[in-house]
Amino acid sequence: MKAVVYRGPRQVAVENVPDPKIERPTDAIIRITSTNICGSDLHMYEGRTDFEQGRVFGHENLGVVMEVGPAVENLKPGDWVCIPFNVSCGHCKNCERGLTNYCLKSNQPGIAGGAFGFADMGPWQGGQAEFLRVPWADFMCLKLPPDAEQKQSDYVMCADIFPTGWHATELAGMKPGDAVVIYGAGPVGLMAAHSAMIKGACSVMVVDCHSDRLKLAESIGAIAIDYSKEDPVQRVMDLTHGRGADAGCECVGYQCHDHHHHRQERPNLTMNNLVNSVKFTGGIGVVGVFVPQDPGSPDDLGKEGKIALDWGMLWFKGQRVATGQCPVKAYNRQLRDLIHAGRAKPSFIVSHELKLDQAPDAYQHFDERDHGWTKVILHPGS
């Protein structure tokens, strides 16, 4: 089959790789029809992580069941499914508690949590390919309604970024009527904004410096704050009568940039802006990726996975911070149903729908943050 394979920093190639096979009775093989390029693929694409050359990318996957193992009961060939990016067994201690983001069986001993096509997240191949092997398929696969094929550019967002954006608002403790500030207007930040709107925020403020992304935020009723033109903390304060936002979402991660110093990376920038723009006793939800070590960081603390945090101010303000990857299965059914009912339309962020062969070009444009490249869906087999 054809698949998007990592070949070194800023190099991917579409190559022929062996077709996946049923390896355990609980497996299913999915024919992939939609698979997204995610912002967290870019950390690996840039060579900032230890993703192995020759492995297949892709953790935002949707398609049709082709074949199931003899122990699979709930799925049959022809079913349309969306697959969470988290690989989870369903019956370990964490999965039983709903913490499928920290499954104890999907990675090596001592590390909780697995994912498709992702550095340090287990042996699982990705889905930017014509076919994908899904383990524990009964537990993993989310069945889709009859409009799955027509609405797949919405439903595919349930694999990762829509639940992750929703999770950011949950980690922040957002309630209806809250003023919410979101740092980052990439796909996840835009999904956090969409989620906050659906959940009844009184205002949603989105901070970024890319005009195309900020325009998308405005298209769903959010307030765009361009941090290259104004101080985002001051603007949030002005918009909240000097109190600060009730809830804040970190949707950037360790590669955040300081626009005023030739786009220099400053890994603590968004966290400290959140501490300063969220109110006393407010909540901060962190879903942007931070890593235990980042040898490629220009920042000495960043090389060790550390940041200089305004801890004194955070403590003084009595703020709560919650972090980590999203347990997709905690939200994906509800989000699927919101899409089916027409209450959610996450595909508003999609800028490009391309063939699998166009992946190398798409990665380059998306990584460069080229204007108008906000979200890419690849369609294998099209």
Side-chain angles (χ1 to χ4, degrees):
M1 66 168 181
K2 286 201 294 194
V4 177
V5 170
Y6 179 62
R7 281 290 163 228
R10 293 193 163 81
Q11 287 179 18
V12 295
V14 179
E15 298 178 8
N16 286 320
V17 304
D19 289 354
K21 295 194 286 287
I22 300 280
E23 296 177 26
R24 299 181 194 159
T26 47
D27 289 349
I29 306 296
I30 313 298
R31 175 172 63 83
I32 298 294
T33 61
S34 289
T35 178
N36 300 337
I37 300 178
C38 176
S40 53
D41 288 329
L42 298 180
H43 304 304
M44 300 181 288
Y45 173 74
E46 291 169 8
R48 291 286 281 264
T49 63
D50 48 8
F51 195 70
E52 301 89 347
Q53 290 198 26
R55 271 188 77 192
V56 179
F57 277 143
H59 59 269
E60 298 188 11
N61 303 308
L62 176 149
V64 183
V65 177
M66 290 288 292
E67 187 186 349
V68 296
V72 175
E73 295 177 348
N74 296 328
L75 300 171
K76 60 185 189 306
D79 286 343
W80 283 81
V81 293
C82 181
I83 302 114
F85 81 87
N86 321 105
V87 178
S88 54
C89 71
H91 47 255
C92 69
K93 185 175 181 179
N94 285 350
C95 283
E96 284 186 350
R97 292 166 60 205
L99 300 173
T100 55
N101 43 343
Y102 295 107
C103 174
L104 297 168
K105 286 193 153 182
S106 58
N107 208 329
Q108 61 202 57
I111 302 180
F116 292 104
F118 212 89
D120 303 318
M121 298 295 286
W124 315 102
Q125 288 285 43
Q128 288 173 13
E130 292 176 300
F131 301 97
L132 177 68
R133 173 185 162 235
V134 178
W136 300 296
D138 271 334
F139 183 68
M140 291 269 295
C141 291
L142 177 71
K143 279 202 226 178
L144 298 173
D147 58 0
E149 190 166 6
Q150 294 73 46
K151 281 190 170 178
Q152 57 184 301
S153 60
D154 290 300
Y155 287 125
V156 71
M157 302 304 167
C158 292
D160 178 1
I161 56 164
F162 192 10
T164 293
W166 192 278
H167 188 54
T169 68
E170 291 280 315
L171 289 176
M174 185 226 145
K175 296 183 174 64
D178 278 353
V180 181
V181 63
I182 294 160
Y183 280 83
V188 169
L190 292 169
M191 289 295 100
H194 195 30
S195 301
M197 286 290 181
I198 292 166
K199 293 169 75 170
C202 74
S203 69
V204 178
M205 299 160 277
V206 179
V207 179
D208 203 297
C209 65
H210 295 277
S211 60
D212 51 343
R213 295 173 171 202
L214 290 169
K215 197 171 266 124
L216 285 172
E218 288 178 325
S219 78
I220 58 166
I223 299 161
I225 300 175
D226 184 340
Y227 75 84
S228 69
K229 299 193 170 127
E230 59 184 333
D231 176 2
V233 174
Q234 190 56 52
R235 181 76 197 286
V236 172
M237 284 299 173
D238 294 345
L239 288 165
T240 56
H241 313 290
R243 284 192 296 270
D246 298 293
C249 299
E250 204 292 341
C251 299
V252 182
Y254 69 105
Q255 286 184 267
C256 45
H257 287 78
D258 183 345
H259 195 81
H260 301 290
H261 296 93
H262 307 294
R263 294 193 49 70
Q264 183 182 343
E265 281 190 27
R266 270 185 53 202
N268 64 346
L269 182 66
T270 53
M271 283 304 297
N272 288 337
N273 279 341
L274 277 158
V275 169
N276 290 303
S277 54
V278 169
K279 71 177 185 184
F280 282 74
T281 75
I284 298 170
V286 185
V287 296
V289 172
F290 289 85
V291 291
Q293 61 268 326
D294 176 25
S297 178
D299 179 272
D300 286 340
L301 278 176
K303 287 181 170 54
E304 300 175 34
K306 299 180 170 74
I307 63 169
L309 179 65
D310 288 341
W311 177 256
M313 183 57 78
L314 183 147
W315 187 93
F316 181 67
K317 292 175 85 170
Q319 292 168 336
R320 296 177 323 281
V321 179
T323 69
Q325 287 193 331
C326 171
V328 169
K329 282 183 61 68
Y331 312 115
N332 64 357
R333 277 191 172 83
Q334 302 94 300
L335 302 187
R336 171 198 67 190
D337 295 347
L338 284 165
I339 291 168
H340 185 55
R343 291 274 293 116
K345 194 168 176 39
S347 63
F348 79 90
I349 65 170
V350 175
S351 57
H352 295 77
E353 300 199 39
L354 304 171
K355 295 180 171 169
L356 196 65
D357 290 340
Q358 294 169 282
D361 193 40
Y363 264 94
Q364 189 181 344
H365 286 296
F366 192 45
D367 185 53
E368 294 289 337
R369 311 297 191 274
D370 284 344
H371 190 83
W373 287 78
T374 51
K375 186 66 175 175
V376 179
I377 305 180
L378 302 171
H379 295 294
S382 66

